[in-house]
Amino acid sequence: MCSTVALAACSNGGSTGSSSGDDYADGGSLTIAIDSDPGALDPQRSVNGVNKMMAVFAYDTPVKLLDSGEVAPSVVKSWTGEGTSYTLTVREGVTCSDGSPMDAQTVADNINYVATEGNGSPMRGAAVPAGATATADKAAGTVAVKLKEGAPFFFQNLAELPLVCSSAIKNRDSLKAASAGSGPFVLSGVQAGNQYTYTRRDGYAWGPNGASTAEKGMPAKVTFKLVTSVTTTANLLLSKGVNISYLSGADTQRLKAAKVFSDGGSIIDDELTFNQAAGLPTADVNVRRALVGALNMKELAQVATGGLGQEANGLLTDPKICSGDTVTPNKPAYDAAAAAALLDRAGWTAAGGGARAKDGKPLEVAFVYDNEDTTTAAAAEYIGQKWTALGVKVDLKGQSFNARSDVVFGGKGPWTATLIGLGVSNPATLVPFFSGATPSHGGINYGSMHNDVFDSSIKAAQAKSGTGGCADWNAGEGALIKDADITPIAVSPYLYWGNGAKFDVVARVLEPTSLRVLR
């Protein structure tokens, strides 16, 4: 399943196979299959997971997130500070694809752009704390960042900020069909809805641990090709019609049997969540808890992962910055009879034929989901059947990944329930999704949620440094699950597969400088 946002780490424990430098081919090309179109290509104005995956080819980030949950230098080579004040020292010699410097001023301008509410970046509050201000000292090569309040995982979040060049900050429209970054590749061809081509930059030498584009086997060209069928993608991987793709589900068994190279870890696979806007039945916590309690999560976890996963124990993907099981003590228990009784007490009683209604209005749920992913579609159908048996009128609305994202995260259509995949390991990244402004007011609180226990727990956590606040973060996460604001369904393998190519997946990101074309 394609994540809604790819903003955090995943364990890098799935690597298979090995190759020596003698096996690498210089000047070759690689094709990477993607399961949905990236849509808008401005990397700071999208939380589309495919866009994020492609963006790392053209855009560096201030720091790099590691599988351990810690951060490593990138454009920013060192840093100091805590609480609400930080100083970043920018690496010398980093250049944009247009030859301009990726200097302290440009880094500061990026932080300020995303942090400013009026610019409408969905990364505000996620990659950069809302209201943060950055001031550059060009002579010293430093950036002073001031926050309105503490951000315990400031650097883990900053690792998710794609840095655009000065020219693009001044002209955002220039990013519609071209890239303007300091990364190892340049977007050189766009066929929207079909494929996107990136060309290797010469002279790039500031990747992880000094990685450069001069390494033997680095591809001269990388093409991202849209392939919406999982089975077709697996067939193409086996035949080398494509060289790399993220893939999950039953088709991966064929790849494993053929000993196709893979690298990655695990991810939360599908999370059930509800729209709590006024007037909707799911604004009532009892209705939400009843709908979750009607589901056998052990069965659903198998459906949602094609039999390859297991029940989730929290909202965070491994490696969790804050570990612990927040699901077991908080999730509404599976009990169809208790779920029916809870709806009765909420006033949604069953009439003739078992259909539930309240004050003459039927209990209806518009359930939107990504029908491009077969296991997500199967999970939605399973849930729809259970809710129908409970007396709920369920309108299953299968949509493309982008269309579903526009409806849920863009506020561009009606919905009551949905399956999403936030895919984060940093608890602070969750905050703007479950509190604050809704999409219609420039935020990403997509379900109009307000949970008092979550808000108070997060306030306590934000006053503490790093993992010192994990007990509070977990209390907040548990409150979301207890009130059925969001219910994680399963954990499944998160693997990129490669045929004719080798690579590293670090913190769930396909690292561009690690790509090698095999002979």
Side-chain angles (χ1 to χ4, degrees), residues 72-167:
S74 182
V75 171
V76 171
K77 66 179 183 179
S78 62
W79 50 86
T80 60
E82 61 181 359
T84 60
S85 180
Y86 298 86
T87 299
L88 318 178
T89 300
V90 177
R91 186 189 303 272
E92 296 179 1
V94 178
T95 60
C96 289
S97 54
D98 62 6
S100 63
M102 179 58 72
D103 56 12
Q105 186 61 61
T106 307
V107 172
D109 290 344
N110 274 268
I111 293 172
N112 289 330
Y113 177 85
V114 171
T116 300
E117 182 176 4
N119 290 329
S121 172
M123 291 186 170
R124 179 177 182 265
V128 178
T133 58
T135 305
D137 183 333
K138 293 187 69 173
T142 59
V143 179
V145 183
K146 300 293 184 183
L147 310 181
K148 286 188 173 181
E149 58 185 8
F153 307 109
F154 172 69
F155 287 106
Q156 282 87 351
N157 285 347
L158 204 60
E160 309 302 333
L161 174 65
L163 295 170
V164 305
C165 301
S166 179
S167 60

Side-chain angles (χ1 to χ4, degrees), residues 5 40 51 63 68 148 206 317 337 387 415 422 441 494:
V5 285
N51 190 323
V63 294
S68 64
K148 286 188 173 181
W206 45 87
T317 288
W387 288 351
W415 67 281
L422 292 178
H441 291 87
Y494 184 97

Side-chain angles (χ1 to χ4, degrees), residues 98-424:
D98 62 6
S100 63
M102 179 58 72
D103 56 12
Q105 186 61 61
T106 307
V107 172
D109 290 344
N110 274 268
I111 293 172
N112 289 330
Y113 177 85
V114 171
T116 300
E117 182 176 4
N119 290 329
S121 172
M123 291 186 170
R124 179 177 182 265
V128 178
T133 58
T135 305
D137 183 333
K138 293 187 69 173
T142 59
V143 179
V145 183
K146 300 293 184 183
L147 310 181
K148 286 188 173 181
E149 58 185 8
F153 307 109
F154 172 69
F155 287 106
Q156 282 87 351
N157 285 347
L158 204 60
E160 309 302 333
L161 174 65
L163 295 170
V164 305
C165 301
S166 179
S167 60
I169 293 176
K170 298 171 183 175
N171 179 13
R172 305 303 300 199
D173 288 344
S174 67
L175 298 175
K176 289 182 177 180
S179 62
S182 61
F185 289 83
V186 177
L187 180 62
S188 56
V190 173
Q191 296 179 31
N194 183 19
Q195 65 181 36
Y196 300 80
T197 301
Y198 288 77
T199 302
R200 183 182 66 201
R201 280 184 66 190
D202 292 332
Y204 180 94
W206 45 87
N209 298 316
S212 76
T213 52
E215 305 290 342
K216 184 176 177 62
M218 271 285 291
K221 183 175 71 172
V222 175
T223 299
F224 289 86
K225 185 173 181 61
L226 180 62
V227 185
T228 57
S229 166
V230 174
T231 298
T232 300
T233 299
N235 291 338
L236 289 171
L237 277 166
L238 289 168
S239 67
K240 294 187 181 180
V242 299
N243 304 109
I244 301 171
S245 182
Y246 162 73
L247 207 63
S248 63
D251 284 284
T252 62
Q253 298 305 303
R254 293 190 289 138
L255 302 178
K256 187 179 295 185
K259 298 183 178 179
V260 175
F261 173 81
S262 65
D263 193 30
S266 62
I267 191 173
I268 302 293
D269 199 339
D270 285 332
E271 296 163 292
L272 176 62
T273 188
F274 301 99
N275 191 344
Q276 300 178 32
L280 292 177
T282 45
D284 185 340
V285 64
N286 291 315
V287 172
R288 299 195 302 274
R289 289 180 58 83
L291 293 176
V292 172
L295 305 175
N296 183 329
M297 286 297 171
K298 184 170 292 186
E299 288 183 355
L300 182 53
Q302 293 302 298
V303 174
T305 64
L308 301 177
Q310 57 189 9
E311 288 184 79
N313 68 358
L315 300 181
L316 302 180
T317 288
D318 288 337
K320 297 180 179 182
I321 294 176
C322 290
S323 61
D325 180 356
T326 58
V327 173
T328 302
N330 294 298
K331 180 185 65 180
Y334 168 54
D335 187 329
L342 192 56
L343 287 180
D344 287 340
R345 290 197 297 273
W348 296 98
T349 55
R356 293 184 176 274
K358 182 178 183 179
D359 300 327
K361 181 180 179 180
L363 179 52
E364 296 180 298
V365 171
F367 192 177
V368 300
Y369 63 94
D370 172 12
N371 63 5
E372 294 177 332
D373 184 279
T374 55
T375 53
T376 295
E381 291 167 4
Y382 173 95
I383 293 170
Q385 291 170 4
K386 294 294 184 181
W387 288 351
T388 298
L390 192 62
V392 180
K393 182 179 180 180
V394 183
D395 182 10
L396 290 174
K397 294 179 176 290
Q399 302 173 337
S400 70
F401 176 83
N402 284 338
R404 192 288 317 271
S405 294
D406 283 344
V407 168
V408 174
F409 293 97
K412 296 181 180 179
W415 67 281
T416 314
T418 190
L419 291 172
I420 61 173
L422 292 178
V424 305

